Amino acid sequence: MVAVLDFGSQYTQLIARRIRELKIYCEIYPYNVSESTLREKNTTAIILSGGPGHITESEITFSPDPEIFNGRYKILGICFGMQVSAKLHGANIVHGEIREYGKTVFYPEKDIIFEGIENRTVVWMSHYDQVENLPENFVSIGRTANCRIAAFKNQQGSVYGFQFHPEVIHTRHGKTMLKNFLYKVAGLKPDWTASSMVEIAKKEIATRIGKSRVVCALSGGVDSSTLSVILHQVAGDRSLAVFVNNGLLRKNEEKEVMEALGDLVNMKYVDASEIFIERLKRVIDPEEKRKIIGRTFIEVFEKEAKSFGADFLAQGTLYPDLIESISVFGGPTSRIKTHHNVGGLPEKMKLKLVEPFKYLFKDEVRKIAKKIGLPEKLIQRHPFPGPGLAVRIIGEIDREKLEILKEVDAIYIDELRKANLYRKIWQAFAVLLPIKSVGIMGDQRTYQYVVALRAVTSTDGMTADWAKIPSNILENISNRIVNEIKAINRVVYDITSKPPATIEWE
Ligand code: XMP
């Protein structure tokens, strides 16, 4: 295993993802994890992240356990990680004359870690402090115009340091450098593949639940679908995937999910749309909608879990959720919306938890999904919020509005697929506005609803840009919507990014 020690860098997760992309298993630890913990975990290599720490002549604000340098491990320090390694080996750290920030030309020496890279390349820098002098037994293996020791290693070749960030894409050969470190310096074999991920997830389920019964909530999203299939492969009829139709789903969604997964999981379909829609009557406030939907979902789900006699609840918690809670500096960022996720079921249910994906990133779950044969359409689906169309109908919800929105959304998505844009977009959907506007059709005055189209590009939903869909395609979509759906006579396109807007309108 590779351990990534988190010194508070904004890139720590990115380092971990890069390592996983290179098919090596890694985990993130707080910067001060003890060497004995790493030894117990069978760690081979350690990467020290960057971070906001500071080193003066007499003090290191964040210091790792010095024992990690006992020679057992191959170590790569990045940015602050390099500086702290240097300091612990007796070097001085100083403020550089100028702050290096952004793309910088880097001249690597000939070294195994730079194999396959030309002798002049571009790296991403973001630092003020730097290593002033080489520690004893260390050699410089690369420089930039303003940083004499931009990369170093010890003579045994067990400790490396980069002042730049190999994990960001702006470092042209960053991935090759990481690959050389993992495969050539540390001698690791790329064996973290979809099959090994499936095996590990299955083992986790089997050992945790034994002969007990396990239930999970199935939303049709890639995480819960993959989870349901794996549970079924391990526990067969002792597993149950509960699919609750809350009446707030997209057009034909329940049919599509049942068709895609009906044969692969032990599924219980519950049509609870009546009670959800009834309880949402006259509710306008988005947070109130979320609360009602969350509570109702739990009620419905709990009943099913009880009647199945479940002892365990399987949740699709992912590694980034876990990292937030273990990170030394992190912790969940302030909540703008109380996202109701079907996973967040209450403790009072007294079910024991099993979380087979808690060490996986989202793209790894997609790889598993592919491996176990989930249909491509389901894997590539845009994210869909737990409260569904309820937060896409601004203001009051009723069945008529739900039907209108379902139809509009279906046309929109259909056209995006035809234009080959669907997969380039993170999320696209329509929003029904609570206002009517005047129009003219066939010489007749109309007074109908306005619909807003939203499409964003993003990598994680935390920030997003509005998608620059070509105007002829937007025109086409608008024409189809107005022609095919009588209740709509006006279509607008949302051109706000996140921030300052959020992706959903409510
Ligand atoms: P916002 O609107 O906060 O959305 O920019 C970011 C991502 O989260 C989804 N979202 C939700 N997901 N329950 C969910 O499970 C919710 O209540 C919820 N609200 C927003 C949104 O679709 C986007 O992908």
Side-chain angles (χ1 to χ4, degrees):
M1 188 197 65
V2 174
V4 179
L5 269 46
D6 179 21
F7 287 82
S9 167
Q10 54 177 323
Y11 299 132
T12 303
Q13 271 202 43
L14 195 57
I15 299 172
R17 276 180 38 203
R18 292 279 176 270
I19 300 172
R20 299 270 187 104
E21 281 165 19
L22 290 163
K23 301 194 171 68
I24 304 281
Y25 184 71
C26 67
E27 286 180 16
I28 296 176
Y29 289 89
Y31 70 93
N32 54 0
V33 60
S34 70
E35 187 271 336
S36 57
T37 305
L38 297 175
R39 200 173 349 124
E40 277 159 29
K41 287 275 189 171
N42 242 333
T43 304
T44 313
I46 302 173
I47 296 195
L48 313 179
S49 82
H54 191 57
I55 296 169
T56 62
E57 222 160 276
S58 56
E59 197 200 14
I60 305 174
T61 41
F62 301 110
S63 179
D65 180 350
E67 263 303 297
I68 63 170
F69 294 103
N70 60 14
R72 255 187 121 92
Y73 313 99
K74 299 292 190 248
I75 295 184
L76 171 63
I78 295 174
C79 196
F80 180 78
M82 171 191 194
Q83 295 164 14
V84 86
S85 313
K87 181 73 182 175
L88 290 172
H89 286 87
N92 290 330
I93 308 304
V94 289
H95 277 330
E97 274 165 28
I98 34 173
R99 195 179 127 94
E100 272 187 313
Y101 184 81
K103 285 186 183 171
T104 309
V105 176
F106 171 67
Y107 302 92
E109 301 286 332
K110 210 168 152 43
D111 190 87
I112 187 172
I113 207 163
F114 297 131
E115 253 177 46
I117 299 166
E118 60 265 40
N119 51 16
R120 182 182 188 280
T121 182
V122 171
V123 299
W124 180 260
M125 284 287 196
S126 173
H127 73 115
Y128 191 11
D129 291 354
Q130 57 174 276
V131 177
E132 185 188 42
N133 59 317
L134 286 167
E136 222 181 298
N137 286 327
F138 276 65
V139 288
S140 170
I141 53 169
R143 64 190 162 81
T144 67
N146 296 306
C147 185
R148 221 168 21 88
I149 309 171
F152 69 19
K153 71 167 188 177
N154 65 358
Q155 266 155 3
Q156 300 89 306
S158 60
V159 178
Y160 275 82
F162 292 162
Q163 185 51 66
F164 54 87
H165 290 268
E167 69 277 21
V168 303
I169 49 165
H170 312 295
T171 295
R172 195 185 294 153
H173 294 294
K175 203 157 174 186
T176 308
M177 296 176 194
L178 288 174
K179 189 169 161 184
N180 287 342
F181 173 73
L182 297 168
Y183 297 1
K184 296 191 169 145
V185 175
L188 292 160
K189 298 266 170 303
D191 56 7
W192 181 244
T193 57
S195 319
S196 50
M197 290 174 213
V198 172
E199 284 321 304
I200 286 176
K202 282 187 175 172
K203 210 166 130 196
E204 164 77 17
I205 298 166
T207 44
R208 180 122 174 92
I209 71 167
K211 291 274 162 246
S212 309
R213 295 180 150 239
V214 58
V215 69
C216 74
L218 172 63
S219 70
V222 63
D223 300 348
S224 71
S225 302
T226 309
L227 181 67
S228 308
V229 175
I230 301 244
L231 279 181
H232 188 246
Q233 289 181 355
V234 176
D237 289 347
R238 284 183 291 110
S239 74
L240 180 72
V242 180
F243 181 77
V244 177
N245 182 352
N246 56 12
L248 309 163
L249 306 174
R250 289 162 288 190
K251 187 178 175 185
N252 292 333
E253 185 152 14
E254 58 279 19
K255 275 199 209 99
E256 283 173 17
V257 173
M258 286 200 281
E259 266 170 34
L261 298 174
D263 296 337
L264 301 174
V265 305
N266 185 26
M267 191 195 303
K268 168 96 190 253
Y269 170 76
V270 188
D271 185 355
S273 52
E274 285 286 330
I275 96 166
F276 277 90
I277 293 168
E278 182 58 33
R279 289 184 186 176
L280 286 167
K281 256 190 193 153
R282 285 179 291 282
V283 179
I284 289 173
D285 179 56
E287 286 300 279
E288 192 56 31
K289 286 181 184 174
R290 281 190 171 79
K291 274 191 207 128
I292 293 170
I293 294 164
R295 274 201 303 266
T296 310
F297 178 83
I298 287 161
E299 223 178 278
V300 175
F301 183 82
E302 210 172 358
K303 203 170 128 221
E304 297 303 329
K306 262 203 187 120
S307 73
F308 183 65
D311 315 284
F312 279 89
L313 171 68
Q315 289 196 155
T317 315
L318 295 180
Y319 199 32
D321 308 326
L322 199 73
I323 294 169
E324 283 214 332
S325 59
I326 59 162
S327 163
V328 187
F329 308 95
T333 42
S334 68
R335 281 273 154 92
I336 311 289
K337 300 175 186 181
T338 50
H339 287 194
H340 145 71
N341 291 311
V342 284
L345 293 159
E347 282 173 18
K348 74 172 170 58
M349 280 181 65
K350 298 259 172 347
L351 290 172
K352 287 173 267 179
L353 276 186
V354 53
E355 299 172 307
F357 298 160
K358 71 179 172 199
Y359 289 108
L360 300 182
F361 288 103
K362 182 95 182 173
D363 50 322
E364 294 179 320
V365 174
R366 288 218 174 90
K367 281 186 192 146
I368 294 189
K370 227 178 167 149
K371 182 87 199 162
I372 59 177
L374 285 192
E376 195 65 17
K377 201 171 166 196
L378 204 145
I379 298 172
Q380 297 305 341
R381 227 161 180 209
H382 289 169
F384 187 62
L389 300 183
V391 290
R392 293 177 179 176
I393 293 174
I394 309 302
E396 273 186 59
I397 295 159
D398 60 39
R399 281 195 181 273
E400 187 203 343
K401 286 182 181 164
L402 278 164
E403 282 317 307
I404 297 171
L405 185 56
K406 281 184 189 190
E407 295 300 328
V408 174
D409 197 72
I411 294 175
Y412 183 24
I413 299 302
D414 182 42
E415 287 299 322
L416 290 180
R417 282 193 196 278
K418 280 191 201 150
N420 265 333
L421 287 174
Y422 184 80
R423 287 184 62 172
K424 297 191 182 116
I425 288 167
W426 164 266
Q427 227 174 340
F429 54 89
V431 181
L432 187 65
L433 306 188
I435 49 164
K436 291 190 167 182
S437 82
V438 175
I440 174 151
M441 250 182 139
D443 294 336
Q444 295 267 326
R445 176 187 189 273
T446 60
Y447 188 58
Q448 300 291 4
Y449 284 116
V450 182
V451 80
L453 304 181
R454 180 90 165 127
V456 295
T457 54
S458 175
T459 48
D460 52 12
M462 302 292 283
T463 60
D465 278 331
W466 63 277
K468 317 293 183 291
I469 299 179
S471 54
N472 59 327
I473 292 166
L474 285 173
E475 186 177 13
N476 204 15
I477 295 167
S478 165
N479 282 342
R480 262 197 73 188
I481 292 172
V482 175
N483 285 334
E484 293 176 33
I485 299 164
K486 226 174 135 212
I488 306 288
N489 68 355
R490 192 177 294 269
V491 178
V492 297
Y493 188 58
D494 182 349
I495 52 166
T496 343
S497 291
K498 172 183 179 177
T502 51
I503 296 176
E504 303 288 344
W505 277 42
E506 283 201 332

